[in-house]
């Protein structure tokens, strides 16, 4: 039986979230310590645990059919590889950082500077697009110490919270690109593996839709149901069930988790009571 071969990061920030989304998709991976390959027990899938920097080449060569990687890695090393789903986790920025004492005004300030980075292709493309020439020092790991030891005037690195920059007396000066985890696909994927991939994508989409939504139910006067319907973004129509108390109904719907506080304020203003907001495990459209 054909199986979808998917690569995820062996260790680091993407590993745990990648395994979690597989689990939420109903895919159980039995991987022991230091195991480089594992099979799913309930889905036609093999998982390869690889070094992050090696994954783009495995995709290009068709050794794996798909991978969960940071979008920033595809920009740096994966040209020609398609990202078919944004996964919503491991969000970060690839940014230029300079010493706190440096009075940065624009990207033109980088002209002629020495820049340390683990992303030379990304930086070169960015500088060329701005018509700027600078000297790059390619470093693997601990890029943020380069200005402190006199190796570089500035750095380009991944930034999440900015705490690492702060600890090294650096400040974020320019964002080159924003990144998050994506599902990437090999250009050499077979038709059989692609068919399995589409089933996997369907599960991912159901999980991500649920993560970004909340189920809401409330008691509403019957003469206010139309007003509630205008406030709530619904999939098709509101679910309305009569209550024992005459003139009232229980109204159910789905809302975006990022806007539900604003929506609740509006619902209360038109007379909704007993509002409950619940998480959704899966959402199949």
């Amino acid at each position: 039986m054909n199986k979808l071969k998917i690569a995820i990061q062996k260790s680091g920030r993407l590993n745990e979230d990648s395994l979690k989304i597989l689990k939420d998709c109903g895919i159980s991976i039995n991987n022991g310590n230091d195991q480089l390959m594992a099979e799913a027990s309930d889905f036609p899938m093999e998982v390869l645990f690889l070094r992050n920097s090696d994954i783009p080449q495995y995709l290009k060569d068709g050794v794996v059919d798909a991978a969960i990687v940071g979008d920033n890695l595809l920009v740096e090393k994966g040209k020609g590889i398609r990202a078919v789903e944004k996964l919503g986790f491991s969000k970060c920025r690839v940014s230029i950082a300079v010493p706190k004492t440096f009075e940065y005004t624009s990207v033109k300030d980088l002209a002629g500077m020495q820049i340390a980075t683990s992303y030379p292709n990304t930086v070169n493309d960015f500088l060329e697009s701005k018509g700027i020439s600078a000297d790059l020092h390619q470093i693997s790991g601990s890029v943020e110490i380069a200005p402190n030891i006199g190796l570089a005037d500035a750095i380009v690195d991944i930034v999440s919270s900015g705490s690492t920059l702060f600890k090294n007396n650096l400040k974020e000066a320019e964002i080159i690109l924003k990144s998050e985890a994506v599902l990437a696909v090999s250009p050499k994927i077979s038709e059989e593996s692609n068919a399995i991939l589409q089933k996997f994508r369907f599960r991912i989409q159901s999980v991500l839709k649920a993560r970004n939504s909340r189920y809401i139910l409330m008691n509403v006067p019957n003469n206010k149901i139309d007003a509630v319907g205008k406030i709530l973004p619904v999939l098709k129509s509101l679910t309305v069930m009569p209550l024992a108390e005459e003139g009232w109904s229980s109204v159910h719907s789905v809302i975006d988790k990022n806007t539900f506080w604003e929506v609740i304020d509006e619902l209360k203003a038109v007379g909704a009571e007993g509002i409950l907001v619940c998480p959704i495990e899966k959402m199949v459209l």
Side-chain angles (χ1 to χ4, degrees):
M1 181 181 179
N2 193 59
K3 294 186 177 182
L4 181 72
K5 292 182 179 179
I6 184 169
I8 68 171
Q9 189 173 329
K10 182 179 179 182
S11 60
R13 64 191 182 91
L14 272 174
N15 176 268
E16 289 185 9
D17 285 336
S18 298
L19 289 174
K20 185 178 187 311
I21 199 166
L22 291 180
K23 183 179 179 180
D24 289 348
C25 287
I27 300 172
S28 302
I29 303 296
N30 301 315
N31 60 307
N33 292 334
D34 299 322
Q35 192 171 343
L36 299 180
M37 181 182 290
E39 291 190 6
S41 59
D42 44 13
F43 191 79
M45 176 183 286
E46 288 181 349
V47 178
L48 281 72
F49 298 92
L50 304 175
R51 285 198 314 174
N52 196 47
S53 59
D54 292 339
I55 291 177
Q57 193 61 51
Y58 276 69
L59 285 165
K60 289 179 182 179
D61 294 342
V63 177
V64 295
D65 302 308
I68 296 176
V69 295
D71 194 29
N72 59 292
L73 186 63
L74 294 186
V75 172
E76 177 64 23
K77 291 187 172 185
K79 289 185 178 178
I81 297 172
R82 288 187 305 126
V84 295
E85 295 288 345
K86 292 185 177 182
L87 302 179
F89 57 82
S90 294
K91 292 186 177 182
C92 63
R93 307 176 296 280
V94 177
S95 296
I96 299 165
V98 297
K100 291 179 181 178
T101 55
F102 185 83
E103 295 184 5
Y104 184 91
T105 57
S106 74
V107 69
K108 293 181 180 179
D109 294 338
L110 300 174
M113 292 180 69
Q114 294 183 323
I115 302 174
T117 186
S118 300
Y119 299 90
N121 296 327
T122 302
V123 179
N124 273 324
D125 289 346
F126 175 75
L127 293 177
E128 286 181 9
S129 71
K130 302 295 183 181
I132 294 169
S133 177
D135 296 324
L136 298 190
H137 290 286
Q138 186 172 350
I139 299 176
S140 298
S142 301
V143 174
E144 64 277 355
I145 69 170
N148 293 329
I149 62 177
L151 183 62
D153 304 303
I155 69 167
V156 174
D157 202 10
I158 287 177
V159 178
S160 295
S161 66
S163 60
T164 302
L165 296 182
F166 181 81
K167 291 175 183 176
N168 286 276
N169 294 313
L170 300 173
K171 61 183 179 181
E172 191 173 9
E174 191 94 26
I175 297 175
I176 293 180
L177 62 90
K178 294 182 179 180
S179 176
E180 65 181 275
V182 297
L183 178 65
V185 180
S186 169
K188 296 185 178 182
I189 188 171
S190 67
E191 289 186 14
E192 295 83 359
S193 294
N194 189 56
I196 301 171
L197 177 70
Q198 299 313 311
K199 293 180 180 179
F200 180 45
R201 287 183 63 188
F202 176 78
R203 295 192 184 195
I204 287 177
Q205 291 163 1
S206 298
V207 168
L208 295 180
K209 185 66 177 176
R211 286 183 181 181
N212 293 324
S213 304
R214 294 293 181 267
Y215 189 74
I216 186 169
L217 54 158
M218 71 211 80
N219 298 332
V220 179
N222 289 342
N223 62 353
K224 297 294 185 180
I225 291 175
D226 287 342
V228 167
K230 292 177 181 178
I231 296 170
L232 290 174
V234 295
L235 299 178
K236 286 191 176 180
S237 63
L238 296 174
T239 299
V240 180
M241 295 179 286
L243 295 177
E245 184 175 348
E246 188 175 348
W248 285 78
S249 294
S250 177
V251 175
H252 302 215
S253 187
V254 174
I255 59 173
D256 188 293
K257 74 170 187 178
N258 296 314
T259 60
F260 76 86
W261 283 115
E262 292 82 359
V263 169
I264 286 175
D265 289 339
E266 293 183 55
L267 293 171
K268 289 175 63 180
V270 298
E273 298 180 1
I275 302 171
L276 297 180
V277 179
C278 309
I280 302 172
E281 184 175 331
K282 303 289 186 295
M283 192 168 172
V284 180
L285 301 179

